Amino acid sequence: MQYNVDFEICAVVFLVLLLIISLTRKKLEGYQSRVFQIYLYLVIASNILDITTSYCMPYYKSIPSWINWGLNAIFLGIQMVLPVIFVMYIYRKLPSVTKVERRLVSACCIPASVGGLLCLTSPIHHLIFYFDETGYHHGPMHIYLYTNVAFYMIMSIYLAIRWRRQIGKRQFPLLFTMIGIPVVTVLVQFMIPSAMLAGVGSALSVFIMYFMTESNVSLIDAVTGALNRKAMIDRVSRDMYRGELEDIYAVAPDNFKLINEMYGLEGGNHVLIEMAGSLMKEYGDKQVFRFGGDTFTVIVPRGGGRAEERIRSLVGQAFYIGGSEVRITACIGLVHAVNHQEEELVSAIEYAVAEAKARGKGQFFEVEETAAEAMLRKKAIEQTMMQNIREGHFEVHYQLIYDIRRKGFYSMEALARLNVPDYGYVSPEEFIKYAEKNGSITRLGLLVLEECCRFIKESDLHELGIDFIEVNLSMVQCMQPEIHKDVLRIMQKYQIPTHMINFEVTESVAASSEELLIRNMERFTEQRIHLSLDDYGSGYSNINYLVDLPFSIVKIDKYVIWAAMKNDTSRIILENTIRTFKNIGLRVVAEGVEDQAMSDMIEEMGADYIQGYFYSKPVPKEKIIERLKEEKAKKGDDLQES
């Protein structure tokens, strides 16, 4: 029988080129799947043997018999091994399998082992192939080769469907193509024995393997040449599956923004390249990754001793930009991979860097197992907060404010509340800082305002004695030039009189953004929207901005009130502070009043209003309405009695 080996020769040339491309990417050699590398070498060897045996067969009488028998036995033996490696490739790529599936995949080796043994021993029993005077012939069990391929293709399809979510929508069609091509070529060769296509099918499947998982350029950071975040996650996931314990050091330079400002983007990139080069020279190309921005990660085996000091010295060495010496410090976070699931790893690294930076320049933070719980809490809070913002609603509770002169409630403060699954209600002090950091605080603040306007429209608060609702205005909101337009749009939507809303601005905002704040406050006052200075006394108190800015109310921080209850000096300061505010025409609210003694003290000092748990805790709007109705009924009864 004459065989056409032209396609096989082309396949070998193609595979050799693919091998050269793979080997030139030395940085990824350790990262690439070892199963893929084995499969590539075996397919090349198989195709070369296939071509050799095809050329030798017509001359089988003049060639020593052991060469003919040996070449065919080795070729068919390799062909039997290839399908099981094909299945193991998928198994290694997506290792999250059950115990039953792991045993099933392990059992897959049995048919291939039996087939390979039959091929290698066929010169003895002639079951797979044999030679006689007329040439090469298939043995009685040659069909086993095709049934073996079919078995492994079915296994590959099962594994692909089982892990379709992990494979992803983009790679799933490629994987099925990779499985289908060898099946089609084997079927064609079965029906047309003279068409040598098995090697072509294997070559194409290798190429798709390479295209799927060895997208080499996408795994390397274009600026620094280090492996990127995706490569890091895949590497850690693979090593964790193998039981290898590793530590991940996250390295983030301090004040890197200043380098970009001083030397430009090119200078900043030069420093990043030098940093990456120093780390890779010390730890190797396959251990250093650019996590994102100016942050790098270094993976080291656990138990090899602490590496932060060595990393710090590498980052802290002199770098040169255009002849100028640059030295930087860096915060370092340590994450133990064993303490985190794959999907938590990025959050853990970000948490470690954030905590290290929060402690100051050049600080170190280790995410211990207990700290991992804090990280999960932070993630849960952020996810719940962002879900509420996306859905366009935010829970608001209200705390009544007592009017000393009128002996009743005259206003209330709106307080955002966040109910986090598994954690319950968390303090605004906790989730507001996350909203400010990720830029969602403006949207959150507008949602709270909208909820307040809806509450005012649904309830006749003025008839219940409430003059207005106080709504907090964050630092980020104060920095928005068009904030007044957003506020007016919401109030007009619910047809709320502008005097029903009073914005509270914290002392820190007033001190740090005075120029922009004045412009925004003027726009508010033009619309008869009043403003209060909140938390006076919590920072570097300065009475100047109370003169310069159009505040109508000042709220004294609870810690100032509590201090006045403990010593005479604080009491005298508080009393004079209240008197000063009254003399310049400001109304005064005392926060944090928790008992009758504190209330009596504030009333004696001449404050106008009292806010605190003694009079009202923050509660949902339904309970506020009940409380106000009770107060109104009580006043009515008192009038009738009088």
Side-chain angles (χ1 to χ4, degrees):
M1 183 184 297
Q2 184 66 38
Y3 293 96
N4 186 346
V5 296
D6 294 344
F7 292 113
E8 300 289 83
I9 294 173
C10 291
V12 170
V13 173
F14 170 78
L15 288 171
V16 170
L17 290 174
L18 186 62
L19 177 63
I20 293 171
I21 293 172
S22 177
L23 293 178
T24 54
R25 298 191 181 278
K26 295 180 180 179
K27 188 185 299 296
L28 293 172
E29 186 178 350
Y31 171 75
Q32 289 172 327
S33 169
R34 291 185 178 87
V35 177
F36 164 76
Q37 294 287 351
I38 294 171
Y39 194 80
L40 176 57
Y41 283 119
L42 286 180
V43 168
I44 292 175
S46 172
N47 284 17
I48 292 174
L49 282 170
D50 193 10
I51 294 168
T52 305
T53 54
S54 298
Y55 275 116
C56 289
M57 281 182 186
Y59 311 104
Y60 74 97
K61 290 183 179 180
S62 58
I63 294 175
S65 60
W66 64 269
I67 293 179
N68 280 312
W69 286 92
L71 288 174
N72 278 275
I74 296 172
F75 164 69
L76 292 174
I78 292 175
Q79 287 291 312
M80 289 300 298
V81 173
L82 287 177
V84 73
I85 295 180
F86 194 91
V87 173
M88 292 299 293
Y89 168 80
I90 303 175
Y91 171 72
R92 286 285 298 277
K93 178 175 169 55
L94 301 166
S96 55
V97 297
T98 64
K99 288 184 179 180
V100 174
E101 288 169 331
R102 188 175 291 113
R103 291 169 185 164
L104 184 61
V105 172
S106 300
C108 284
C109 297
I110 297 174
S113 301
V114 172
L117 186 63
L118 287 173
C119 290
L120 293 174
T121 57
S122 197
I124 300 173
H125 50 66
H126 301 178
L127 292 176
I128 302 299
F129 71 93
Y130 64 91
F131 287 91
D132 61 16
E133 298 80 13
T134 59
Y136 172 85
H137 299 282
H138 291 166
M141 288 189 65
H142 193 273
I143 190 67
Y144 183 83
L145 301 180
Y146 297 99
T147 57
N148 184 71
V149 170
F151 168 73
Y152 283 108
M153 290 305 103
I154 292 171
M155 279 297 303
S156 300
I157 292 170
Y158 165 75
L159 293 175
I161 294 174
R162 170 67 177 81
W163 290 315
R164 61 188 179 278
R165 290 184 179 178
Q166 293 171 272
I167 293 170
K169 293 181 180 179
R170 295 180 62 184
Q171 291 195 354
F172 193 68
L174 285 174
L175 185 57
F176 261 82
T177 304
M178 183 174 70
I179 295 169
I181 286 175
V183 173
V184 172
T185 53
V186 168
L187 288 175
V188 170
Q189 187 168 323
F190 178 73
M191 292 183 289
I192 309 174
S194 61
M196 301 295 290
L197 295 175
V200 174
S202 299
L204 290 173
S205 68
V206 168
F207 173 70
I208 296 176
M209 272 187 184
Y210 187 84
F211 185 75
M212 280 182 62
T213 61
E214 320 300 337
S215 302
N216 299 314
V217 174
S218 68
L219 297 175
I220 300 177
D221 176 59
V223 175
T224 64
L227 292 168
N228 61 18
R229 180 188 295 192
K230 182 182 183 303
M232 182 205 74
I233 294 171
D234 291 349
R235 156 71 186 274
V236 174
S237 299
R238 186 182 70 241
D239 290 349
M240 286 176 65
Y241 172 69
R242 294 173 178 170
E244 298 176 10
L245 301 182
E246 294 174 321
D247 288 336
I248 305 172
Y249 287 88
V251 189
D254 296 314
N255 298 327
F256 191 75
K257 184 180 179 181
L258 292 177
I259 294 178
N260 282 329
E261 291 175 352
M262 292 175 62
Y263 300 101
L265 183 61
E266 185 176 349
N269 285 344
H270 177 74
V271 172
L272 293 178
I273 292 168
E274 292 295 320
M275 279 181 57
S278 297
L279 292 170
M280 287 190 288
K281 184 177 180 180
E282 177 73 16
Y283 293 100
D285 294 348
K286 307 173 188 69
Q287 307 294 114
V288 178
F289 306 82
R290 189 179 183 186
F291 182 75
D294 57 6
T295 302
F296 292 88
T297 52
V298 181
I299 296 178
V300 299
R302 195 167 186 183
R306 294 284 182 149
E308 62 263 27
E309 291 306 321
R310 181 56 185 156
I311 292 174
R312 199 180 302 282
S313 65
L314 291 169
V315 174
Q317 62 183 301
F319 301 119
Y320 294 90
I321 304 176
S324 300
E325 181 179 295
V326 177
R327 290 186 181 272
I328 58 177
T329 60
C331 289
I332 299 176
L334 171 59
V335 174
H336 304 293
V338 71
N339 292 339
H340 305 277
Q341 300 295 327
E342 179 181 342
E343 60 273 14
E344 300 170 359
L345 200 58
V346 170
S347 296
I349 294 171
E350 290 175 344
Y351 176 76
V353 171
E355 289 297 315
K357 284 185 173 291
R359 284 160 170 73
K361 288 185 177 181
Q363 295 300 303
F364 174 79
F365 180 79
E366 180 178 0
V367 182
E368 297 282 6
E369 199 164 357
T370 52
E373 175 58 30
M375 183 206 70
L376 292 176
R377 175 185 173 89
K378 175 179 178 291
K379 184 178 180 181
I381 291 172
E382 289 181 319
Q383 287 179 340
T384 305
M385 179 182 67
M386 295 308 298
Q387 180 180 350
N388 287 0
I389 292 174
R390 283 194 300 270
E391 293 174 356
H393 67 82
F394 219 91
E395 186 174 354
V396 178
H397 288 190
Y398 301 88
Q399 185 176 29
L400 292 167
I401 299 175
Y402 183 77
D403 187 325
I404 295 174
R405 182 178 57 84
R406 291 192 288 185
K407 303 298 180 184
F409 299 116
Y410 90 107
S411 68
M412 63 181 75
E413 181 178 356
L415 299 164
R417 289 291 182 263
L418 187 66
N419 191 359
V420 182
D422 300 327
Y423 294 98
Y425 282 101
V426 298
S427 167
E429 295 177 356
E430 192 169 2
F431 67 81
I432 290 296
K433 63 183 180 182
Y434 300 145
E436 289 180 334
K437 184 177 180 181
N438 64 25
S440 62
I441 185 64
T442 300
R443 179 62 181 149
L444 190 158
L446 293 177
L447 287 175
V448 170
L449 174 63
E450 188 161 3
E451 177 59 33
C452 292
C453 292
R454 188 182 296 114
F455 179 36
I456 294 172
K457 185 176 179 63
E458 294 172 352
S459 311
D460 195 355
L461 293 181
H462 187 70
E463 289 297 317
L464 295 173
I466 299 300
D467 292 341
F468 57 84
I469 294 179
E470 296 184 339
V471 180
N472 287 284
L473 203 61
S474 72
M475 167 81 79
V476 177
Q477 286 176 287
C478 288
M479 299 299 290
Q480 304 298 317
E482 304 297 319
I483 184 65
H484 66 289
K485 293 183 180 179
D486 294 329
V487 168
L488 291 174
R489 174 180 52 79
I490 293 172
M491 297 180 76
Q492 290 169 1
K493 174 182 176 182
Y494 293 93
Q495 299 177 337
I496 303 301
T498 54
H499 65 81
M500 288 294 293
I501 296 294
N502 184 309
F503 283 116
E504 292 187 3
V505 178
T506 62
E507 184 183 8
S508 59
V509 174
S512 61
S513 56
E514 187 174 321
E515 183 179 345
L516 185 56
L517 182 61
I518 289 175
R519 289 203 299 269
N520 282 331
M521 290 180 74
E522 288 174 347
R523 291 164 178 161
F524 284 136
T525 53
E526 288 171 1
Q527 300 295 328
R528 295 183 62 210
I529 299 175
H530 297 286
L531 295 107
S532 302
L533 178 65
D534 195 20
D535 297 335
Y536 181 85
S538 61
Y540 297 100
S541 302
N542 189 334
I543 202 167
N544 287 332
Y545 49 74
L546 286 171
V547 176
D548 297 334
L549 302 176
F551 290 113
S552 57
I553 297 174
V554 59
K555 303 182 75 172
I556 300 178
D557 188 72
K558 61 186 178 181
Y559 294 108
V560 177
I561 308 298
W562 294 350
M565 291 293 295
K566 296 178 181 178
N567 62 79
D568 292 338
T569 302
S570 298
R571 186 185 184 100
I572 293 169
I573 292 173
L574 175 60
E575 188 172 11
N576 282 282
T577 299
I578 292 174
R579 185 181 301 113
T580 300
F581 291 155
K582 296 286 288 180
N583 288 338
I584 61 176
L586 294 171
R587 288 174 286 168
V588 179
V589 180
E591 297 184 297
V593 174
E594 297 185 341
D595 55 38
Q596 186 66 56
M598 295 175 73
S599 178
D600 292 342
M601 179 189 71
I602 295 301
E603 187 170 353
E604 290 173 6
M605 290 181 178
D608 299 285
Y609 313 110
I610 298 175
Q611 181 176 353
Y613 280 16
F614 179 64
Y615 286 98
S616 170
K617 292 182 178 181
V619 293
K621 59 184 179 181
E622 295 80 12
K623 291 189 177 181
I624 282 289
I625 294 297
E626 290 177 11
R627 177 74 182 278
L628 290 173
K629 287 180 177 179
E630 290 174 2
E631 292 293 324
K632 184 177 181 181
K634 184 179 178 181
K635 283 185 178 181
D637 293 340
D638 291 342
L639 287 173
Q640 288 180 359
E641 290 178 4
S642 62

